[in-house]
Amino acid sequence: MIALGLEGSANKLGVGVILHPPKGGPAQILANVRHTFVSPPGEGFLPKDTAKHHRTWVVRLVRHALTEAEVTVDDVDCLCYTKGPGMGAPLQSVAVLARMLSLLWDKELVGVNHCVGHIEMGREITGAQNPVVLYVSGGNTQVIAYACQRYRIFGEALDIAVGNCLDRFARTLNISNDPAPGYNIEQLAKGGKHLLDLPYTVKGMDCSFSGILASIDVSAARLQQDPTGWKDEVTGQVMTREDLCFSLQETVFAMLVEITERAMAHVGSSQVLIVGGVGCNERLQEMMGMMAKTRGGSVYATDERFCIDNGIMIAHAGLLAFRTGLTTPLEHSTCTQRFRTDEVVVKWRA
């Protein structure tokens, strides 16, 4: 069976084509194309501008994906689109196209939870069997484990997501958004040497990132007043932009490792799967790996093709649902900004 997936919940517009072999076996990725709306340095991406970008590019991406996959419309069994969560206007742009193609091509629609798409694609690519999942992106931060046909949320961000924290600090430092603000912070952090003491806020299984962002924004303002660097009152070290990025990463990632380890202990799992755009960060993978090693466990992660929002994950999760008989009637093919991971009945897993 073949599915075409459409993803556009934020600034990444993705179209993917996937094949599930009739006799089982690994899924075959036939096409995975993407185009990103990049805003100027120091600015975020506004919903209206992002939606306009998606409307401008989506038709040519669909054509490109079908050509790359070497399939025709007749070969496609279902159309899968991101139902939510995400930004309202971009989601709506993609949902409208999905409905149009469904009517034009006479194909079934499948609305997909964005978070479940990340999880299922991560499981498929890495081969992780029943891991604790750390889902980290610009809009979501969740620690998840599977039980009784639901992806149960054990812990999450109480305010802003960890990716949003990193992105907003990139704007504070006026760092480029190309290819992504979080990636550019990661590169700067590799040059950092001194750790600034920042608020560390873990409350049970949940995290809070707004306080640490406010604190490091104050430090960034001091640095902008004196670009040569200022001395940390605690250590006496001269702090630089690289040190601030390093300090932010080390602190927020330590928080994520802590709550993930607690979830592993609770469910008795030795596997961690990191998904979402922030999951590309090599330092996060390294820190998680050190924790898992002490527990005799292992860490699974993917590269930017699958960590960052993409259409193939929507196609894969949608096709899993479609094979169990789940479809989305045209009159219910809406989108929503709030669609929790644990709302989805995962009928394709035992």
Side-chain angles (χ1 to χ4, degrees), residues 15 40 42 69 71 98 101 118 148 160 163 173 209 232 267 281 290 294 341:
V15 180
V71 299
L101 293 180
H118 272 297
C148 302
I160 61 173
L173 293 183
F209 298 105
D232 177 17
V267 303
N281 190 292
M290 289 188 287
T294 64
T341 313

Side-chain angles (χ1 to χ4, degrees), residues 262-317:
R262 196 172 292 129
M264 291 176 69
H266 183 79
V267 303
S269 176
S270 61
Q271 296 181 339
V272 179
L273 172 63
I274 308 176
V275 299
V278 182
C280 293
N281 190 292
E282 294 177 353
R283 178 54 180 160
L284 174 58
Q285 295 178 16
E286 180 184 19
M287 292 174 68
M288 197 67 69
M290 289 188 287
M291 177 275 289
K293 185 177 180 180
T294 64
R295 302 183 61 85
S298 52
V299 172
Y300 297 82
T302 62
D303 59 32
E304 59 88 26
R305 293 173 298 167
F306 307 108
C307 262
I308 297 173
D309 293 349
N310 58 84
I312 201 70
M313 71 182 194
I314 302 302
H316 178 58

Side-chain angles (χ1 to χ4, degrees), residues 244-280:
L244 294 185
C245 292
F246 169 73
S247 300
L248 180 61
Q249 273 200 171
E250 292 295 302
T251 306
V252 298
F253 291 168
M255 293 160 61
L256 296 173
V257 170
E258 178 183 338
I259 62 174
T260 303
E261 182 175 20
R262 196 172 292 129
M264 291 176 69
H266 183 79
V267 303
S269 176
S270 61
Q271 296 181 339
V272 179
L273 172 63
I274 308 176
V275 299
V278 182
C280 293

Side-chain angles (χ1 to χ4, degrees), residues 4-7 13-17 31 33-34 54 57-69 71 73 76 79 94 97-98 100-101 105:
L4 184 144
L6 302 164
E7 155 60 26
L13 175 65
V15 180
V17 182
V33 298
R34 181 169 55 209
H54 291 1
W57 280 90
V58 69
V59 171
R60 70 185 83 176
L61 285 190
V62 169
R63 288 174 175 163
H64 182 188
L66 291 174
T67 301
E68 185 176 307
V71 299
V73 171
V76 176
L79 294 169
V94 174
L97 178 92
M100 181 196 74
L101 293 180
W105 295 347

Side-chain angles (χ1 to χ4, degrees), residues 14-52:
V15 180
V17 182
I18 200 163
L19 166 69
H20 287 186
K23 296 183 181 180
Q28 297 177 23
I29 298 168
L30 305 181
N32 185 23
V33 298
R34 181 169 55 209
H35 196 272
T36 302
F37 172 65
V38 179
S39 54
E43 298 181 17
F45 47 91
L46 297 176
K48 64 176 183 179
D49 297 331
T50 308
K52 182 179 179 180

Side-chain angles (χ1 to χ4, degrees), residues 21-235:
K23 296 183 181 180
Q28 297 177 23
I29 298 168
L30 305 181
N32 185 23
V33 298
R34 181 169 55 209
H35 196 272
T36 302
F37 172 65
V38 179
S39 54
E43 298 181 17
F45 47 91
L46 297 176
K48 64 176 183 179
D49 297 331
T50 308
K52 182 179 179 180
H53 165 269
H54 291 1
R55 291 192 299 269
T56 301
W57 280 90
V58 69
V59 171
R60 70 185 83 176
L61 285 190
V62 169
R63 288 174 175 163
H64 182 188
L66 291 174
T67 301
E68 185 176 307
E70 297 182 344
V71 299
T72 66
V73 171
D74 293 336
D75 298 321
V76 176
D77 294 288
C78 64
L79 294 169
C80 312
Y81 75 98
T82 303
K83 187 176 181 69
M87 299 170 68
L91 280 172
Q92 190 177 50
S93 297
V94 174
V96 167
L97 178 92
R99 289 196 289 270
M100 181 196 74
L101 293 180
S102 174
L103 293 169
L104 186 65
W105 295 347
D106 191 25
K107 301 293 181 181
E108 295 280 6
L109 277 173
V110 182
V112 176
N113 179 286
H114 179 87
C115 315
V116 172
H118 272 297
I119 295 170
E120 293 300 348
M121 199 70 234
R123 290 180 62 238
E124 178 68 25
I125 295 297
T126 65
Q129 295 302 308
N130 191 27
V132 167
V133 179
L134 175 65
Y135 171 39
V136 278
S137 68
N140 298 275
T141 300
Q142 297 173 348
V143 177
I144 300 162
Y146 176 79
C148 302
Q149 295 196 319
R150 301 267 182 172
Y151 283 114
R152 314 286 177 172
I153 300 174
F154 279 71
E156 58 192 319
L158 296 172
D159 39 39
I160 61 173
V162 63
N164 186 243
C165 176
L166 295 171
D167 290 352
R168 287 168 63 176
F169 186 59
R171 297 205 292 270
T172 298
L173 293 183
N174 206 37
I175 295 173
S176 171
N177 291 318
D178 188 16
Y183 172 82
N184 293 330
I185 280 190
E186 178 185 1
Q187 303 316 306
L188 282 172
K190 291 176 181 179
K193 299 177 182 178
H194 308 303
L195 184 67
L196 180 67
D197 186 24
L198 294 169
Y200 183 100
T201 312
V202 173
K203 301 181 179 182
M205 286 296 295
D206 300 323
C207 290
S208 173
F209 298 105
S210 57
I212 187 172
L213 177 63
S215 177
I216 201 163
D217 275 349
V218 172
S219 299
R222 294 184 62 186
L223 184 61
Q224 289 169 352
Q225 292 173 0
D226 185 4
T228 60
W230 55 273
K231 286 189 177 180
D232 177 17
E233 293 86 350
V234 177
T235 64

